[in-house]
């Protein structure tokens, strides 16, 4: 199984979390970490995608996730596009805004619509609260999902 950590980050928080998660896992397994826009899905190879994405502006995707989001939200994408894929989504946002974690929620739902199997419920992280503590809690859920083959 190939594990890929994708991040969409406007201010750098999601990027930092993704790279930290990669460094924690790297000694035990090969992990690929990249922006969501850099990701090119190979439909012939099953993968597990860990997506960490913030919401910016008025519920929009970060710049380095916008191409990915535009691609997967297109209604012409077949419902089987991610059929051999498992995924997990972590959304970062700010509860002071109306569209709290909107991108994470939209990506979580769209991945399911495109045939991917969720490894668990989306985790929402409020950047107004203690970010470090919430990330530690997220690791308790996420780290056991990575298995050495």
């Amino acid at each position: 199984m190939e594990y890929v950590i994708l991040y969409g980050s406007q201010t750098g928080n999601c990027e930092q979390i993704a790279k930290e998660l990669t460094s924690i896992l790297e000694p035990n397994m090969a992990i690929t970490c990249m922006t969501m826009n850099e990701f090119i899905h190979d439909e012939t190879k099953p993968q597990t995608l860990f997506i960490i994405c913030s919401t910016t502006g008025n519920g929009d995707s970060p710049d380095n996730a916008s191409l990915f989001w535009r691609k997967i939200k297109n209604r012409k994408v077949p419902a089987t596009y991610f059929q051999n894929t498992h995924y997990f989504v972590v959304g970062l946002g700010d509860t002071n805004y109306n569209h709290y974690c909107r991108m994470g929620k939209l990506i979580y739902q769209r991945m399911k619509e495109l045939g991917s199997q969720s490894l668990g419920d989306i985790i929402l992280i409020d950047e107004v609260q203690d970010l470090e503590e919430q990330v530690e809690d997220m690791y308790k859920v996420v780290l056991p999902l990575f298995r050495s083959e």
Side-chain angles (χ1 to χ4, degrees):
M1 180 87 54
E2 182 182 343
Y3 293 97
V4 180
I5 298 173
L6 302 177
Y7 63 89
S9 189
Q10 197 69 28
T11 63
N13 285 336
C14 288
E15 179 179 4
Q16 180 181 346
I17 294 166
K19 290 181 176 178
E20 182 179 76
L21 180 59
T22 302
S23 69
I24 290 169
L25 295 164
E26 196 70 78
N28 301 320
M29 55 195 348
I31 304 288
T32 304
C33 181
M34 65 184 78
T35 70
M36 293 170 72
N37 286 349
E38 293 171 326
F39 177 71
I40 298 171
H41 184 67
D42 178 355
E43 296 175 46
T44 63
K45 186 180 353 176
Q47 298 184 51
T48 299
L49 302 176
F50 284 82
I51 301 170
I52 305 168
C53 189
S54 63
T55 299
T56 189
N58 191 25
D60 301 317
S61 65
D63 293 339
N64 60 7
S66 62
L67 298 176
F68 176 88
W69 174 241
R70 266 201 310 260
K71 179 174 179 122
I72 71 165
K73 79 173 183 176
N74 186 327
R75 293 297 165 190
K76 293 179 182 173
V77 174
T80 58
Y81 189 72
F82 284 115
Q83 71 180 354
N84 294 322
T85 306
H86 292 85
Y87 74 104
F88 194 91
V89 177
V90 177
L92 265 73
D94 182 329
T95 51
N96 291 316
Y97 290 89
N98 291 334
H99 298 293
Y100 172 65
C101 291
R102 180 174 183 249
M103 282 315 306
K105 293 172 185 176
L106 290 172
I107 290 166
Y108 178 84
Q109 183 59 39
R110 188 65 178 143
M111 292 292 293
K112 189 181 300 186
E113 292 169 0
L114 295 176
S116 187
Q117 294 191 315
S118 175
L119 294 172
D121 292 334
I122 186 173
I123 292 178
L124 304 178
I125 295 178
D126 184 2
E127 295 185 85
V128 173
Q129 305 298 320
D130 182 348
L131 188 61
E132 195 172 307
E133 183 179 316
Q134 292 176 87
V135 170
E136 287 300 319
D137 289 343
M138 181 266 297
Y139 284 157
K140 292 174 187 169
V141 174
V142 168
L143 289 174
L145 299 175
F146 288 90
R147 300 182 311 276
S148 295
E149 300 299 318

